Amino acid sequence: MSLITVLILFPLVVSIVTFLVRKESIRSAILRVGAVGTAVLTIYTALQYFNDGLLLSFGDTEPIDLGMMVVEIGLAVYIISTGIKTKKYLLSLFSLFQTGLILWFELTQKEGIEVETGIVFDKLSGIMILVVGIIGSLICLYAVGYMKAYHNHHTDVPERKSFFLSVLFLFLSAMFGLVLCNNLMWIYFCWEITTFCSYLLIGYTKTPEARNNSLLALTINVGGGVAFACAIVMIGMNFDTLELSTLISMKPEALVLIPVFLLCVAALTKSAQLPFSAWLLGAMVAPTPSSALLHSATMVKAGVYLIIRLAPLLGTTSVGRIITLVGAVTFLACSLMAISQRDAKKVLAYSTIANLGLIVMCGSIGTQEAIWAAMLLVIFHAVSKSLLFLSVGAIENQLGNRNIENMNILMNVSRKLGVYLMIGIAGMFLAPFGMLISKWVAMKSFIDSNNIIIVIMLAYGSAATLFYWGKWIGTLVSNGSAKDHEHHSKFSLDEEIPIFLQAAIVVVSCLAFPIISKFAIVPYLSETFGGAAMAPIGTGNQIIMVIMMSILILLPLGYIPISKKEKARITPIYMAGENAGDNENFIAATGVKRKSDLSNWYLEGYFGGKNFTFWSNMTSIAILCIGVLLLIWRWAL
């Protein structure tokens, strides 16, 4: 058994064992060992194959194909019956069509199509398994402690921790398969497993809202699966191949672009781009570890991973331009919508969709510097967003809610948690952290490729991100006082260790980005596009950014008192009026003592309404319809 096979199967074994073991202490120990084991195995696999890569053939794949077919039929039976039972007939129809099409192809058309390379390990898949394996393992480790506190606070939710935790590991196994497989049928199988896992995680609490949202997620993603299945059938029947690498090496002719467009539509559903984003917003009802897993390292990254893979076939083609426009509309609209949100998880959700839109734009532009930015965005977004989700989950357990307005007391309740949250927010929008560097390169690549409209949309969208992240970080440093009678839970070690490690990864990944660029991204670009690729940021600028990060790390040392005799002068907070002495009240113009009240500006009347969402979705639907018409026109010529 190869190391790659072990990497895919190990989380699956942990998942099965976790589901079977009911004693909590033993299960927790298995989970911790499983999470650490997955992370170590991921790093070891990456070290083994990162330099030279790996092309793996399996010889006779009939037993594997047969096993996958049986699982697909079982899933289809469950989904179709669930759709009928819950009167979600579109879901049943999608599943029936998708499974029927794939079975027809496998049983009648697939004979004679050989897949020589079943697994491909290159620099891009290496980066992806490191993101999935390390970030995903830390989320699983965090889930052990989080779920204990979750059920203490949500006594009305039936406890199914074994089920929940086992699905997390099943998710990791499917994601490893998805990013390592070159056989489109296997990628499709793993794609469907991630869809089903997301449905199970979102519906964990079994409340009516959770059921509806999980069914919505299933319907949208199974709809994307229909597009994926149609693409496989077209590729297999027209080109006698089922290898993704072979498809990517073809010329972007009309007959090739139709299945490529279908694959991109599937990717847009998975990465929650407009008009398919509703499922990701609904996923917020799930416990935080599942939100972190879906939003940072796994589900949504599968979509953008596929678009980055297809980048050589996009670029200046009609499909590339259409997908770029959808990404741009998503980035701008969701960045503006995030301004109107007070719920921290909803801000993170809109931010996730917007940033995925940015990665989609970079991937579909298809130039070397845009792909460079897209790959860095995948890394930096995964580490920062995972840290933010885990921190918000811990804050919810401590404060009892996740309203941003109530986080002004966080630094007094748990300073460490407040600092971790600020590192995560800084990682999303401040220099010299990686997201800002990647956005700068993305903007440069759009200017160089003469996409002026995209540049304008990116500029306005980025201004909106600055606005909502600035509001949030401003609330954290406003230093509100917790009320004496309020009880706040403790920050448990099970939660703190993964959050601390995530914060460290955010900082280290920023320091290490020149190395990541030199040894991973630039070689991938050279292999994919041919010739000698170069990093869009020069060595001098890279050194400046590393120095800036070093200063940020060393800056807090300046606040350590050197001498015991040193006395700091403590002054009352300025409150736009004379401070009454308690940092909560001020003396107004009439000499009356008044309570100070601070609140952020949310612009709900502009960006929080259904009209804004409706017209954003309509714009994206119109763009996709234009794409379909362009493909039909080109095919007919």
Side-chain angles (χ1 to χ4, degrees):
M1 186 179 289
S2 71
L3 186 57
I4 294 289
T5 312
V6 174
L7 178 67
I8 295 171
L9 294 181
F10 181 76
L12 179 63
V13 172
V14 176
S15 168
I16 295 169
V17 175
T18 302
F19 182 73
L20 295 176
V21 174
R22 297 294 161 176
K23 192 168 182 181
E24 184 156 359
S25 58
I26 298 174
R27 185 179 61 221
S28 297
I30 292 169
L31 283 164
R32 290 188 180 101
V33 172
V36 173
T38 303
V40 170
L41 194 56
T42 301
I43 295 168
Y44 182 68
T45 306
L47 290 173
Q48 286 292 308
Y49 302 121
F50 208 85
N51 280 336
D52 301 326
L54 177 71
L55 302 177
L56 196 59
S57 299
F58 284 85
D60 182 14
T61 59
E62 274 194 22
I64 301 174
D65 295 339
L66 186 62
M68 288 182 178
M69 193 189 298
V70 171
V71 175
E72 282 172 14
I73 293 171
L75 285 179
V77 169
Y78 176 84
I79 292 171
I80 292 168
S81 60
T82 301
I84 293 171
K85 200 185 301 177
T86 56
K87 298 182 180 177
K88 306 289 183 188
Y89 300 117
L90 185 61
L91 171 62
S92 300
L93 191 63
F94 278 159
S95 183
L96 183 64
F97 177 79
Q98 169 189 11
T99 311
L101 184 66
I102 285 292
L103 287 178
W104 170 79
F105 175 73
E106 287 219 42
L107 298 174
T108 65
Q109 306 295 316
K110 191 184 159 194
E111 190 176 354
I113 301 175
E114 298 292 332
V115 176
E116 292 182 6
T117 309
I119 296 281
V120 170
F121 188 108
D122 60 6
K123 297 289 189 295
L124 178 57
S125 48
I127 289 172
M128 287 300 296
I129 68 157
L130 285 170
V131 168
V132 173
I134 296 174
I135 304 298
S137 297
L138 288 172
I139 293 170
C140 291
L141 199 61
Y142 169 89
V144 178
Y146 175 88
M147 291 308 289
K148 288 179 191 171
Y150 180 85
H151 282 287
N152 289 337
H153 290 95
H154 300 82
T155 50
D156 54 326
V157 176
E159 187 186 319
R160 297 186 297 147
K161 282 189 281 189
S162 292
F163 171 78
F164 181 84
L165 296 165
S166 65
V167 175
L168 292 182
F169 277 94
L170 177 60
F171 216 130
L172 295 187
S173 177
M175 276 302 297
F176 283 139
L178 196 153
V179 299
L180 288 166
C181 288
N182 186 48
N183 184 332
L184 282 167
M185 294 296 292
W186 294 0
I187 296 175
Y188 168 78
F189 174 77
C190 296
W191 190 274
E192 292 306 295
I193 294 293
T194 59
T195 294
F196 192 66
C197 287
S198 67
Y199 159 74
L200 297 175
L201 291 171
I202 296 168
Y204 174 73
T205 60
K206 289 189 172 180
T207 61
E209 185 185 13
R211 283 200 191 98
N212 282 333
N213 291 355
S214 61
L215 286 169
L216 177 66
L218 192 60
T219 305
I220 292 174
N221 283 294
V222 171
V226 171
F228 204 130
C230 291
I232 288 176
V233 172
M234 290 189 72
I235 293 165
M237 293 182 68
N238 289 318
F239 306 109
D240 289 329
T241 184
L242 286 173
E243 294 189 40
L244 180 60
S245 56
T246 305
L247 173 69
I248 294 167
S249 65
M250 293 178 184
K251 292 182 178 176
E253 299 168 346
L255 202 55
V256 176
L257 287 179
I258 294 173
V260 168
F261 179 73
L262 290 169
L263 288 174
C264 287
V265 170
L268 293 179
T269 60
K270 193 68 94 178
S271 52
Q273 297 297 282
L274 295 176
F276 310 113
S277 61
W279 75 264
L280 194 62
L281 300 169
M284 293 301 102
V285 299
T288 293
S290 58
S291 304
L293 203 63
L294 295 178
H295 285 241
S296 62
T298 58
M299 183 84 166
V300 295
K301 291 296 186 295
V304 293
Y305 164 77
L306 185 57
I307 286 181
I308 294 173
R309 277 279 181 220
L310 294 171
L313 293 172
L314 299 174
T316 56
T317 66
S318 53
V319 176
R321 294 194 184 281
I322 290 297
I323 301 302
T324 303
L325 271 175
V326 171
V329 170
T330 303
F331 177 71
L332 177 59
C334 291
S335 297
L336 293 172
M337 289 182 213
I339 291 174
S340 64
Q341 304 302 319
R342 295 165 188 266
D343 183 329
K345 280 180 79 171
K346 283 195 174 177
V347 173
L348 298 183
Y350 278 113
S351 162
T352 296
I353 299 169
N355 282 291
L356 291 169
L358 180 58
I359 301 172
V360 167
M361 288 156 64
C362 293
S364 52
I365 287 283
T367 62
Q368 290 192 27
E369 54 186 358
I371 302 298
W372 187 93
M375 291 172 73
L376 272 185
L377 281 167
V378 167
I379 298 168
F380 292 129
H381 180 262
V383 297
S384 298
K385 196 50 69 71
S386 175
L387 170 62
L388 285 169
F389 266 107
L390 300 191
S391 299
V392 167
I395 291 167
E396 188 179 3
N397 278 341
Q398 289 209 16
L399 302 185
N401 66 76
R402 52 183 191 244
N403 189 328
I404 291 173
E405 291 298 309
N406 297 332
M407 291 186 190
N408 61 335
I409 63 171
L410 183 63
M411 295 299 279
N412 287 319
V413 174
S414 173
R415 188 168 292 271
K416 283 191 287 187
L417 190 50
V419 171
Y420 295 142
L421 184 64
M422 281 198 279
I423 291 173
I425 293 174
M428 292 301 296
F429 84 113
L430 283 179
F433 288 94
M435 286 296 288
L436 193 74
I437 298 166
S438 308
K439 275 185 189 174
W440 181 80
V441 174
M443 184 167 285
K444 182 175 179 294
S445 69
F446 299 147
I447 293 170
D448 291 345
S449 55
N450 294 319
N451 285 286
I452 303 304
I453 295 175
I454 302 297
V455 172
I456 294 169
M457 295 172 83
L458 179 59
Y460 278 96
S462 297
T465 62
L466 175 69
F467 189 16
Y468 65 76
W469 289 127
K471 282 193 304 178
W472 194 345
I473 212 165
T475 304
L476 291 174
V477 298
S478 62
N479 203 26
S481 301
K483 294 175 181 173
D484 294 336
H485 65 275
E486 288 180 348
H487 171 72
H488 301 290
S489 304
K490 288 184 179 178
F491 189 23
S492 73
L493 205 59
D494 276 332
E495 291 175 307
E496 185 176 355
I497 291 174
I499 290 176
F500 168 76
L501 292 173
Q502 295 269 20
I505 290 173
V506 170
V507 176
V508 170
S509 62
C510 188
L511 285 169
F513 102 85
I515 298 170
I516 297 170
S517 170
K518 184 177 180 180
F519 293 103
I521 300 178
V522 170
Y524 173 75
L525 295 175
S526 298
E527 287 172 17
T528 306
F529 293 93
M534 291 180 65
I537 295 182
T539 308
N541 289 332
Q542 293 179 18
I543 292 171
I544 290 171
M545 288 170 186
V546 172
I547 291 172
M548 284 174 69
M549 177 56 73
S550 305
I551 292 172
L552 277 180
I553 295 169
L554 296 174
L555 199 61
L557 299 178
Y559 290 93
I560 298 174
I562 298 171
S563 167
K564 290 183 179 178
K565 293 180 180 178
E566 187 176 0
K567 291 183 180 179
R569 187 169 66 91
I570 299 173
T571 58
I573 298 170
Y574 176 68
M575 306 178 78
E578 186 185 354
N579 194 317
D582 55 6
N583 289 336
E584 291 186 358
N585 296 280
F586 67 96
I587 307 300
T590 55
V592 179
K593 186 177 176 182
R594 290 186 179 170
K595 186 167 180 62
S596 175
D597 186 26
L598 294 174
S599 176
N600 283 309
W601 198 21
Y602 288 92
L603 301 173
E604 284 144 328
Y606 295 97
F607 307 124
K610 289 182 180 176
N611 280 342
F612 191 82
T613 307
F614 174 79
W615 287 113
S616 301
N617 282 328
M618 285 297 108
T619 306
S620 297
I621 290 171
I623 293 169
L624 288 173
C625 289
I626 291 169
V628 173
L629 292 175
L630 284 174
L631 282 173
I632 294 171
W633 175 69
R634 186 171 175 183
W635 178 74
L637 285 177

